[in-house]
């Protein structure tokens, strides 16, 4: 069964498996002890740290291992903010950061700090100027992902790092998605990563803090990992994480070329095969293996089930799932269509034949879902020369389906008023208008739900 969701978690690399099994026999002792078993464990830990530091592009004594990538983010943000408390309590993040960063920002605000979100363009990228505008005299820390986890867009880290450095503000880079492909460019101050993203075992993260960066570890003091990651080191997992990172780096250049060709094939063919689809993310500045698209009139969770039955494991940032009633914060910040969202993230060595079969299966899966969701009949009335579609109580993508059904019933220049109470409508109705050449006028208050005003242009 083709696994196309490595952006969530990559399969364990063969080198990681071998290193893990070997380290289970050799690295079980306490590396802080001076007897033979402890010294052996310490040698394994030190070698893993040197290998990981070389891959990151920092000194070994600047890097510590944590219990996860999320823990690395939380530790890095909390420690940097505390270390620069005298400078101020203002934090800057981008609007499309991983949830671990945004959750840390929420905690910071609840504890009396302030946070600014820097907007992104329609392709998911920030501007260095956006960070320059957000910087204040009391800014303690700025955060920026190296590449987006949902759409693959690579961020201008070097430019943002330069802006922050000039202002004397450290930049923390969440590099979880990109470390497999190479070191992060730019004069960053802190960096985090997560082993399961590059084929290492889960439960291992890394945090690099450059020398000279003010950093105050939070929580009870612990003598391990420079006091920045409490608890007994999981040496076998750490060894496997470092070994797999080194291994994927040796394959990265060649695999990047091959995976870019495959994802470009998907980006090109999906609009031709499906229609009413938007491929999102930067078409050039992007990670090699990720491609994301959103389909009109499709429920994302249902489409994923259809693809799963056809033998493909993919993921979705769609708002239309049973677990959430709000749009993906990444797609929302980009202002793109969220309904029927599919993210394909190819593993190293993904066969070309699997991609071709995916493209063969996809049109039938989308057609089946669209057929299932085409049944709802809109209840329409005419009020003040505007056609009113009552979609209150109906979840994405039904409000958009019903709008599409009736837009032709009004003359060019006429208005359709869509009543909806689904949060996703705020994103998907304007996105539909942009895709279909109609004018989204805006929202109006309504007795039931919110009225979304659409003017027919074509």
């Amino acid at each position: 069964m083709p696994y196309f969701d490595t952006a969530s978690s990559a399969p364990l690399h063969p080198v990681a498996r071998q290193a893990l099994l070997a380290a289970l026999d050799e690295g079980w002792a306490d590396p802080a002890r001076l007897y033979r078993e402890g010294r052996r464990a310490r040698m394994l830990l030190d070698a893993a740290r040197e290998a990981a530091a070389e891959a990151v592009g920092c000194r070994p004594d600047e890097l510590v291992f944590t219990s996860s990538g999320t823990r690395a983010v939380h530790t890095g943000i909390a420690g940097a903010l505390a270390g620069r408390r005298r400078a101020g309590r203002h934090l800057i993040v981008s609007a499309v950061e991983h949830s671990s960063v945004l959750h840390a920002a929420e905690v910071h605000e609840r504890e009396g700090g302030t946070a600014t979100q820097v907007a992104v363009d329609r392709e998911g990228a920030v501007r260095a100027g956006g960070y320059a505008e957000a910087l204040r005299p009391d800014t303690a820390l700025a955060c920026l992902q190296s590449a987006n986890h949902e759409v693959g867009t690579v961020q201008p880290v070097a430019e943002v790092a330069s802006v922050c450095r000039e202002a004397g503000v450290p930049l923390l880079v969440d590099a979880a998605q990109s470390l497999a492909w190479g070191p992060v460019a730019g004069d960053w101050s802190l960096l985090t990563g997560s082993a399961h993203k590059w084929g290492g075992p889960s439960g291992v993260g890394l945090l690099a803090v450059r020398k000279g960066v003010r950093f105050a570890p939070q929580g009870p003091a612990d003598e391990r990992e420079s006091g920045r990651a409490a608890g007994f080191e999981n040496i076998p997992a750490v060894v496997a994480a470092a070994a797999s990172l080194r291994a994927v780096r040796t394959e990265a250049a060649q695999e990047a070329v091959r995976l870019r060709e495959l994802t470009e094939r998907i980006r090109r063919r999906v609009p031709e095969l499906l229609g009413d689809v938007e491929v999102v993310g930067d078409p050039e500045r992007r990670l090699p293996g990720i491609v994301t698209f959103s389909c009109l009139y499709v429920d994302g969770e249902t489409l994923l089930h259809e693809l799963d039955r056809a033998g493909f494991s993919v993921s979705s940032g769609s708002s239309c799932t049973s677990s959430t009633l709000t749009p993906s914060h990444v797609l929302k910040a980009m202002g793109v269509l969220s309904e029927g969202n599919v993210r394909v993230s190819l593993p190293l060595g993904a066969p070309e034949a699997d991609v071709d079969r995916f493209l063969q299966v996809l049109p039938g899966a989308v057609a089946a879902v669209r057929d299932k969701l085409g049944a709802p009949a809109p209840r329409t009335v005419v009020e003040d020369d505007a056609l009113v579609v009552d979609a209150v109580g109906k979840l994405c993508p039904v409000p958009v389906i019903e709008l599409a059904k009736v837009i032709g019933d009004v003359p060019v220049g006429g208005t359709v008023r869509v009543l909806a109470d689904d949060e996703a409508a705020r994103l998907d109705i304007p996105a539909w208008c942009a895709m279909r050449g109609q004018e989204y006028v805006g929202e109006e208050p309504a007795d039931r739900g919110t009225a979304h005003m659409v003017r027919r242009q074509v």
Side-chain angles (χ1 to χ4, degrees):
M1 179 173 179
Y3 178 76
F4 287 178
D5 193 23
T6 54
S8 293
S9 188
L12 192 66
H13 195 283
V15 168
R17 185 182 300 276
Q18 295 169 3
L20 180 64
L21 292 175
L24 285 171
D25 292 331
E26 299 293 329
W28 50 268
D30 187 345
R33 299 295 176 242
L34 298 179
Y35 43 70
R36 182 179 60 250
E37 294 85 357
R39 294 197 305 273
R40 190 161 55 211
R42 169 55 65 181
M43 289 176 62
L44 288 173
L45 181 59
D46 288 347
R49 197 184 314 279
E50 289 178 6
E54 181 182 3
V56 168
C58 66
R59 293 169 35 165
D61 59 351
E62 294 174 330
L63 185 144
V64 300
F65 294 104
T66 66
S67 59
S68 68
T70 294
R71 173 49 56 194
V73 166
H74 291 171
T75 299
I77 291 177
L81 287 172
R84 284 179 44 83
R85 192 180 184 93
R86 289 186 179 180
R89 302 201 64 195
H90 179 232
L91 171 67
I92 302 174
V93 301
S94 84
V96 294
E97 293 298 313
H98 188 270
S99 59
S100 60
V101 174
L102 298 183
H103 291 162
E106 291 170 1
V107 170
H108 177 61
E109 289 183 294
R110 285 200 298 269
E111 293 177 349
T114 58
T116 297
Q117 283 195 7
V118 177
V120 297
D121 60 23
R122 194 172 175 83
E123 295 176 339
V126 302
R127 294 182 304 105
Y131 273 73
E133 294 163 4
L135 286 167
R136 305 187 328 205
D138 63 337
T139 301
L141 176 68
C143 300
L144 178 63
Q145 59 192 195
S146 56
N148 187 260
H149 50 290
E150 288 193 27
V151 300
T153 297
V154 173
Q155 301 290 0
V157 172
E159 294 90 332
V160 172
S162 178
V163 167
C164 292
R165 177 69 64 178
E166 187 175 346
V169 173
L171 177 69
L172 182 148
V173 178
D174 171 16
Q177 287 296 341
S178 72
L179 272 181
W181 303 107
V184 176
D187 196 9
W188 49 265
S189 301
L190 304 96
L191 182 142
T192 64
S194 187
H196 74 98
K197 299 285 190 176
W198 64 69
S202 59
V204 179
L206 58 83
L207 168 63
V209 182
R210 298 280 199 196
K211 293 294 182 182
V213 175
R214 292 188 176 276
F215 192 91
Q218 300 301 286
D222 192 283
E223 68 276 9
R224 298 182 186 272
E225 293 299 294
S226 305
R228 293 173 182 169
F232 195 93
E233 297 94 342
N234 185 349
I235 294 176
V238 164
V239 169
S244 58
L245 181 55
R246 173 177 284 178
V248 298
R249 283 290 186 82
T250 63
E251 309 166 20
Q254 184 174 352
E255 268 298 280
V257 173
R258 201 179 66 85
L259 292 184
R260 284 190 190 279
E261 292 176 351
L262 293 178
T263 52
E264 182 57 34
R265 184 180 306 178
I266 298 173
R267 288 180 63 87
R268 182 181 69 254
R269 290 289 290 147
V270 161
E272 297 172 355
L273 293 170
L274 303 182
D276 293 322
V277 65
E278 182 176 15
V279 181
V280 300
D282 194 298
E284 301 294 336
R285 289 177 54 92
R286 59 184 304 100
L287 292 177
I290 297 180
V291 57
T292 306
F293 55 90
S294 299
C295 306
L296 278 172
Y297 324 130
V298 169
D299 173 81
E301 186 179 68
T302 305
L303 178 55
L304 263 56
H305 288 321
E306 289 285 339
L307 291 171
D308 183 49
R309 281 193 287 270
F312 290 92
S313 300
V314 299
S315 64
S316 174
S318 174
S319 59
C320 314
T321 68
S322 60
S323 60
T324 176
L325 296 179
T326 58
S328 151
H329 73 276
V330 171
L331 301 178
K332 185 176 182 179
M334 293 168 63
V336 299
L337 186 70
S338 72
E339 65 184 66
N341 179 261
V342 174
R343 180 186 66 185
V344 174
S345 47
L346 303 176
L348 298 175
E352 182 179 356
D354 285 350
V355 172
D356 289 338
R357 191 165 71 84
F358 174 76
L359 291 172
Q360 292 173 356
V361 166
L362 182 63
V366 172
V369 176
R370 283 175 172 165
D371 185 60
K372 290 177 183 177
L373 294 174
R379 184 170 70 85
T380 61
V381 296
V382 177
E383 295 179 357
D384 299 326
D385 296 326
L387 188 65
V388 179
V389 177
D390 187 352
V392 173
K394 297 178 180 178
L395 299 181
C396 158
V398 174
V400 177
I401 292 174
E402 298 191 347
L403 167 61
K405 286 181 175 181
V406 303
I407 190 71
D409 294 341
V410 299
V412 173
T415 303
V416 178
R417 194 167 184 256
V418 184
L419 301 179
D421 56 358
D422 181 13
E423 178 65 23
R426 286 195 164 89
L427 176 62
D428 289 343
I429 292 177
W432 178 88
C433 290
M435 292 175 67
R436 304 313 294 261
Q438 309 298 351
E439 179 186 359
Y440 182 68
V441 179
E443 296 182 11
E444 291 183 354
D447 294 336
R448 300 171 61 252
T450 300
H452 298 271
M453 307 299 296
V454 177
R455 182 175 293 117
R456 182 182 175 189
Q457 297 294 306
V458 293

